[in-house]
Amino acid sequence: MRVFYILIGPVITYPILDEEGPLRFIGLSLLFSGYHLFMLLFIDLLPLYIGYLQSESPEKEMSSRDLKVTRFFSLSFFVILGCFLGSIKILDHTVHGMPVFWGCIGSGMIIGTALVIRSIKKPFSFISTDNVNGFGIGFPLGTAMLFCSLVFIPNRYIPVKSIENKVVSVSEKSIGSSSRAGRSDPHFLFLKTDDGTTERFTIPEAVYDQIQDSAVCNMHQGIFGLYYIDKIHGL
């Protein structure tokens, strides 16, 4: 039944993806689907997954080299997490970045899961009963975050072409609600891209008041072909 709930949001949201009026709020049904996806993954399946890893994990003594490798992976996970959080911010100003983002997450999870399966059938020397759960969870999450970081960060900081003062039509403006006390509400701008689709970008409040029907963008095309908007300002 939970799988049915997960599918509800995408099924009813897909037909109204290009809507700019009140119908677009139907997309909030994705929050309902996302909640049940979280429950399925982390409440229903994760305990079973951890139990399976514990039953299949190899019992062996780890050498000093294996301990160093384990510490290296643990440190790398937190470094990758920091890079991933940075790529999320970059994603907000990357044109058509969301499909690429989910592609990175999906392919990373698949490869990470394949590494877990390999580590159970033919254990890596640095995986033992003491750390198998950490690697079992860290591989899928780590590879997913790593893929996002390796795409969005180089695309942001290695430009191959720059476009200055490009005039873009504004489809809509809106003000969100901040979830943190003391922080100003986010200001959103919906711009029409060259292929006719609409992309949402976050802009400062001062710039928000200056922009009406059109905006001026400074952008560059990164090494992976994605366009990143460096600056948005009024005419």
Side-chain angles (χ1 to χ4, degrees):
M1 193 64 182
R2 200 181 291 280
V3 174
F4 173 75
Y5 291 149
I6 293 171
L7 295 176
I8 286 178
V11 168
I12 68 176
T13 301
Y14 180 77
I16 52 95
L17 284 178
D18 295 329
E19 291 288 339
E20 299 173 5
L23 278 177
R24 73 182 187 278
F25 290 108
I26 295 176
L28 292 175
S29 59
L30 291 174
L31 297 176
F32 175 79
S33 296
Y35 165 77
H36 284 282
L37 178 61
F38 175 85
M39 295 295 289
L40 176 67
L41 293 177
F42 295 99
I43 304 301
D44 298 339
L45 297 181
L46 187 59
L48 297 176
Y49 175 58
I50 291 178
Y52 171 72
L53 291 177
Q54 289 175 332
S55 64
E56 296 292 330
S57 59
E59 296 182 4
K60 58 185 178 182
E61 291 290 333
M62 294 181 64
S63 65
S64 58
R65 173 186 172 277
D66 294 336
L67 288 173
K68 291 179 181 179
V69 173
T70 300
R71 294 191 186 102
F72 169 78
F73 271 98
S74 300
L75 178 61
S76 298
F77 181 85
F78 289 102
V79 172
I80 292 172
L81 176 60
C83 293
F84 174 74
L85 295 176
S87 67
I88 293 294
K89 186 175 182 180
I90 294 172
L91 170 66
D92 193 44
H93 271 237
T94 301
V95 179
H96 300 322
M98 192 58 71
V100 178
F101 172 80
W102 287 115
C104 291
I105 292 292
S107 57
M109 292 286 286
I110 290 172
I111 292 178
T113 302
L115 287 172
V116 173
I117 294 173
R118 191 271 187 195
S119 70
I120 292 174
K121 292 183 176 180
K122 187 178 179 182
F124 296 113
S125 63
F126 51 83
I127 297 181
S128 70
T129 51
D130 294 330
N131 59 23
V132 65
N133 295 339
F135 278 104
I137 298 172
F139 271 141
L141 294 181
T143 49
M145 294 189 295
L146 177 63
F147 280 24
C148 288
S149 302
L150 292 178
V151 169
F152 287 100
I153 293 178
N155 190 82
R156 164 68 177 90
Y157 293 105
I158 308 179
V160 296
K161 181 174 69 174
S162 296
I163 302 174
E164 301 291 333
N165 299 324
K166 179 180 176 64
V167 179
V168 182
S169 297
V170 175
S171 173
E172 184 184 352
K173 297 164 60 178
S174 66
I175 301 177
S177 179
S178 177
S179 59
R180 296 184 183 179
R183 293 192 61 176
S184 60
D185 295 332
H187 291 66
F188 301 118
L189 198 65
F190 295 81
L191 302 179
K192 290 185 177 180
T193 60
D194 292 338
D195 61 2
T197 59
T198 301
E199 289 274 326
R200 191 191 78 174
F201 300 95
T202 305
I203 60 174
E205 182 177 357
V207 176
Y208 181 89
D209 295 332
Q210 298 172 5
I211 297 175
Q212 299 302 323
D213 297 329
S214 299
V216 179
C217 301
N218 295 339
M219 64 177 69
H220 72 251
Q221 185 180 27
I223 191 171
F224 292 114
L226 300 172
Y227 284 93
Y228 178 84
I229 296 183
D230 294 296
K231 185 178 181 182
I232 301 176
H233 51 92
L235 292 172

